[in-house]
Short mmCIF file of all heavy atoms in Angstrom, two decimals:
data_model
loop_
_atom_site.label_atom_id
_atom_site.label_comp_id
_atom_site.label_asym_id
_atom_site.label_seq_id
_atom_site.Cartn_x
_atom_site.Cartn_y
_atom_site.Cartn_z
N GLN B 556 -17.27 7.10 51.05
CA GLN B 556 -17.70 8.44 51.41
C GLN B 556 -18.08 9.27 50.20
O GLN B 556 -19.10 9.92 50.18
CB GLN B 556 -16.57 9.15 52.18
CG GLN B 556 -16.21 8.46 53.46
CD GLN B 556 -17.41 8.38 54.40
OE1 GLN B 556 -18.07 9.38 54.67
NE2 GLN B 556 -17.70 7.18 54.88
N HIS B 557 -17.21 9.23 49.18
CA HIS B 557 -17.46 10.06 48.00
C HIS B 557 -18.60 9.47 47.16
O HIS B 557 -18.71 8.26 47.02
CB HIS B 557 -16.17 10.13 47.18
CG HIS B 557 -16.16 11.22 46.16
ND1 HIS B 557 -16.77 11.08 44.94
CD2 HIS B 557 -15.64 12.47 46.18
CE1 HIS B 557 -16.61 12.21 44.24
NE2 HIS B 557 -15.92 13.08 44.99
N ARG B 558 -19.39 10.38 46.59
CA ARG B 558 -20.54 9.91 45.82
C ARG B 558 -20.12 9.10 44.60
O ARG B 558 -20.83 8.21 44.16
CB ARG B 558 -21.37 11.12 45.36
CG ARG B 558 -22.00 11.89 46.49
CD ARG B 558 -22.99 11.00 47.23
NE ARG B 558 -23.74 11.79 48.21
CZ ARG B 558 -24.98 12.19 48.00
NH1 ARG B 558 -25.58 11.91 46.88
NH2 ARG B 558 -25.60 12.88 48.93
N TYR B 559 -18.97 9.46 44.07
CA TYR B 559 -18.53 8.73 42.88
C TYR B 559 -18.16 7.30 43.25
O TYR B 559 -18.52 6.34 42.56
CB TYR B 559 -17.32 9.44 42.24
CG TYR B 559 -16.74 8.68 41.06
CD1 TYR B 559 -17.51 8.45 39.92
CD2 TYR B 559 -15.44 8.18 41.10
CE1 TYR B 559 -16.99 7.76 38.85
CE2 TYR B 559 -14.93 7.47 40.03
CZ TYR B 559 -15.70 7.27 38.90
OH TYR B 559 -15.18 6.56 37.84
N GLY B 594 -16.33 23.56 40.47
CA GLY B 594 -16.41 22.97 41.81
C GLY B 594 -15.99 21.52 41.78
O GLY B 594 -14.91 21.18 41.30
N CYS B 595 -16.86 20.66 42.31
CA CYS B 595 -16.58 19.23 42.29
C CYS B 595 -16.67 18.72 40.87
O CYS B 595 -17.59 19.03 40.14
CB CYS B 595 -17.59 18.49 43.18
SG CYS B 595 -17.45 16.71 43.03
N ARG B 596 -15.69 17.90 40.47
CA ARG B 596 -15.67 17.47 39.08
C ARG B 596 -16.75 16.45 38.76
O ARG B 596 -17.05 16.18 37.61
CB ARG B 596 -14.29 16.88 38.77
CG ARG B 596 -13.28 17.97 38.89
CD ARG B 596 -11.94 17.63 38.35
NE ARG B 596 -11.16 18.86 38.34
CZ ARG B 596 -9.92 18.95 37.94
NH1 ARG B 596 -9.30 17.88 37.51
NH2 ARG B 596 -9.29 20.10 37.96
N PHE B 597 -17.34 15.89 39.82
CA PHE B 597 -18.35 14.87 39.60
C PHE B 597 -19.76 15.48 39.59
O PHE B 597 -20.75 14.79 39.32
CB PHE B 597 -18.24 13.81 40.70
CG PHE B 597 -19.10 12.60 40.48
CD1 PHE B 597 -19.02 11.87 39.29
CD2 PHE B 597 -19.99 12.18 41.46
CE1 PHE B 597 -19.81 10.76 39.10
CE2 PHE B 597 -20.79 11.06 41.27
CZ PHE B 597 -20.69 10.35 40.08
N ALA B 598 -19.85 16.79 39.86
CA ALA B 598 -21.14 17.42 40.09
C ALA B 598 -22.15 17.14 38.97
O ALA B 598 -23.33 16.90 39.24
CB ALA B 598 -20.96 18.92 40.28
N ASP B 599 -21.71 17.16 37.73
CA ASP B 599 -22.64 16.97 36.61
C ASP B 599 -23.35 15.62 36.64
O ASP B 599 -24.41 15.47 36.08
CB ASP B 599 -21.89 17.09 35.28
CG ASP B 599 -21.69 18.54 34.91
OD1 ASP B 599 -22.28 19.39 35.62
OD2 ASP B 599 -20.95 18.81 33.94
N ARG B 600 -22.70 14.66 37.24
CA ARG B 600 -23.27 13.32 37.20
C ARG B 600 -23.76 12.89 38.59
O ARG B 600 -24.19 11.76 38.76
CB ARG B 600 -22.22 12.32 36.70
CG ARG B 600 -21.75 12.61 35.28
CD ARG B 600 -20.46 11.93 34.97
NE ARG B 600 -20.63 10.50 34.62
CZ ARG B 600 -19.61 9.70 34.36
NH1 ARG B 600 -18.36 10.14 34.43
NH2 ARG B 600 -19.82 8.44 34.06
N CYS B 601 -23.63 13.78 39.56
CA CYS B 601 -23.91 13.38 40.93
C CYS B 601 -25.35 13.69 41.31
O CYS B 601 -25.85 14.79 41.08
CB CYS B 601 -22.97 14.13 41.88
SG CYS B 601 -23.22 13.71 43.61
N ALA B 602 -26.01 12.70 41.90
CA ALA B 602 -27.40 12.89 42.29
C ALA B 602 -27.51 13.88 43.44
O ALA B 602 -28.51 14.59 43.58
CB ALA B 602 -28.02 11.55 42.68
N GLY B 603 -26.48 13.95 44.27
CA GLY B 603 -26.58 14.80 45.45
C GLY B 603 -25.94 16.17 45.27
O GLY B 603 -25.69 16.87 46.25
N ALA B 604 -25.69 16.57 44.04
CA ALA B 604 -24.98 17.84 43.84
C ALA B 604 -25.86 19.03 44.17
O ALA B 604 -27.05 19.03 43.86
CB ALA B 604 -24.52 17.93 42.39
N ASP B 605 -25.29 20.04 44.81
CA ASP B 605 -26.02 21.29 45.03
C ASP B 605 -25.17 22.46 44.56
O ASP B 605 -24.14 22.27 43.93
CB ASP B 605 -26.42 21.43 46.50
CG ASP B 605 -25.20 21.44 47.41
OD1 ASP B 605 -24.06 21.55 46.90
OD2 ASP B 605 -25.38 21.32 48.63
N ARG B 607 -23.22 24.53 46.08
CA ARG B 607 -21.87 24.56 46.61
C ARG B 607 -20.97 23.59 45.85
O ARG B 607 -19.82 23.90 45.52
CB ARG B 607 -21.94 24.17 48.09
CG ARG B 607 -20.65 24.34 48.81
CD ARG B 607 -20.84 23.75 50.18
NE ARG B 607 -19.78 24.14 51.07
CZ ARG B 607 -19.61 23.57 52.26
NH1 ARG B 607 -20.46 22.63 52.66
NH2 ARG B 607 -18.63 23.95 53.03
N CYS B 608 -21.52 22.42 45.57
CA CYS B 608 -20.76 21.42 44.84
C CYS B 608 -20.29 21.98 43.51
O CYS B 608 -19.20 21.69 43.03
CB CYS B 608 -21.60 20.18 44.55
SG CYS B 608 -22.14 19.32 46.02
N ARG B 609 -21.17 22.79 42.89
CA ARG B 609 -20.83 23.29 41.55
C ARG B 609 -19.84 24.43 41.58
O ARG B 609 -19.13 24.67 40.61
CB ARG B 609 -22.10 23.75 40.84
CG ARG B 609 -22.95 22.60 40.37
CD ARG B 609 -24.16 23.08 39.61
NE ARG B 609 -25.33 22.32 40.00
CZ ARG B 609 -25.56 21.07 39.62
NH1 ARG B 609 -24.71 20.46 38.82
NH2 ARG B 609 -26.63 20.42 40.04
N GLU B 611 -17.70 25.38 44.53
CA GLU B 611 -16.52 25.29 45.38
C GLU B 611 -15.88 23.91 45.27
O GLU B 611 -16.56 22.89 45.30
CB GLU B 611 -16.92 25.51 46.85
CG GLU B 611 -17.13 26.96 47.21
CD GLU B 611 -17.56 27.07 48.67
OE1 GLU B 611 -16.78 26.66 49.56
OE2 GLU B 611 -18.69 27.52 48.92
N PRO B 613 -14.35 20.78 46.57
CA PRO B 613 -14.45 20.14 47.90
C PRO B 613 -13.06 20.01 48.54
O PRO B 613 -12.09 19.72 47.85
CB PRO B 613 -15.02 18.75 47.59
CG PRO B 613 -15.55 18.83 46.22
CD PRO B 613 -14.81 19.90 45.51
N ARG B 624 -12.79 13.78 48.95
CA ARG B 624 -13.16 15.15 48.61
C ARG B 624 -14.63 15.17 48.21
O ARG B 624 -14.96 14.91 47.07
CB ARG B 624 -12.39 15.63 47.38
CG ARG B 624 -10.91 15.81 47.57
CD ARG B 624 -10.28 15.99 46.20
NE ARG B 624 -8.84 16.11 46.30
CZ ARG B 624 -8.22 17.27 46.52
NH1 ARG B 624 -8.91 18.39 46.64
NH2 ARG B 624 -6.91 17.31 46.63
N CYS B 625 -15.48 15.48 49.16
CA CYS B 625 -16.90 15.54 48.85
C CYS B 625 -17.59 16.38 49.90
O CYS B 625 -17.30 16.27 51.09
CB CYS B 625 -17.50 14.12 48.83
SG CYS B 625 -19.28 14.09 48.53
N TRP B 626 -18.47 17.26 49.46
CA TRP B 626 -19.18 18.12 50.42
C TRP B 626 -20.27 17.36 51.17
O TRP B 626 -20.67 17.73 52.27
CB TRP B 626 -19.82 19.30 49.68
CG TRP B 626 -18.84 20.32 49.14
CD1 TRP B 626 -18.73 20.71 47.85
CD2 TRP B 626 -17.87 21.05 49.88
NE1 TRP B 626 -17.74 21.65 47.72
CE2 TRP B 626 -17.19 21.88 48.96
CE3 TRP B 626 -17.49 21.10 51.23
CZ2 TRP B 626 -16.16 22.75 49.34
CZ3 TRP B 626 -16.47 21.96 51.59
CH2 TRP B 626 -15.80 22.77 50.66
N HIS B 627 -20.76 16.35 50.58
CA HIS B 627 -21.87 15.64 51.23
C HIS B 627 -21.54 14.17 51.30
O HIS B 627 -22.14 13.35 50.59
CB HIS B 627 -23.17 15.84 50.44
CG HIS B 627 -23.44 17.27 50.13
ND1 HIS B 627 -23.74 18.20 51.10
CD2 HIS B 627 -23.43 17.94 48.95
CE1 HIS B 627 -23.91 19.38 50.53
NE2 HIS B 627 -23.72 19.25 49.22
N PRO B 628 -20.58 13.82 52.11
CA PRO B 628 -20.08 12.44 52.09
C PRO B 628 -21.00 11.46 52.80
O PRO B 628 -21.86 11.84 53.59
CB PRO B 628 -18.76 12.55 52.85
CG PRO B 628 -19.00 13.68 53.81
CD PRO B 628 -19.93 14.65 53.13
S1 LIG C 701 -19.01 17.20 46.26
FE1 LIG C 701 -21.12 17.33 45.74
S2 LIG C 701 -21.12 16.89 43.57
FE2 LIG C 701 -19.21 16.25 44.33
S3 LIG C 701 -19.51 14.13 44.80
FE3 LIG C 701 -19.84 15.22 46.67
S4 LIG C 701 -22.00 15.52 46.66
FE4 LIG C 701 -21.48 14.99 44.59
#
Side-chain angles (χ1 to χ4, degrees):
Chain B
Q556 298 301 309
H557 195 279
R558 295 297 188 102
Y559 176 63
C595 172
R596 295 192 171 179
F597 188 55
D599 279 352
R600 297 162 81 183
C601 180
D605 60 12
R607 188 187 194 191
C608 297
R609 285 183 223 285
E611 281 179 61
R624 292 168 183 273
C625 177
W626 290 123
H627 311 292

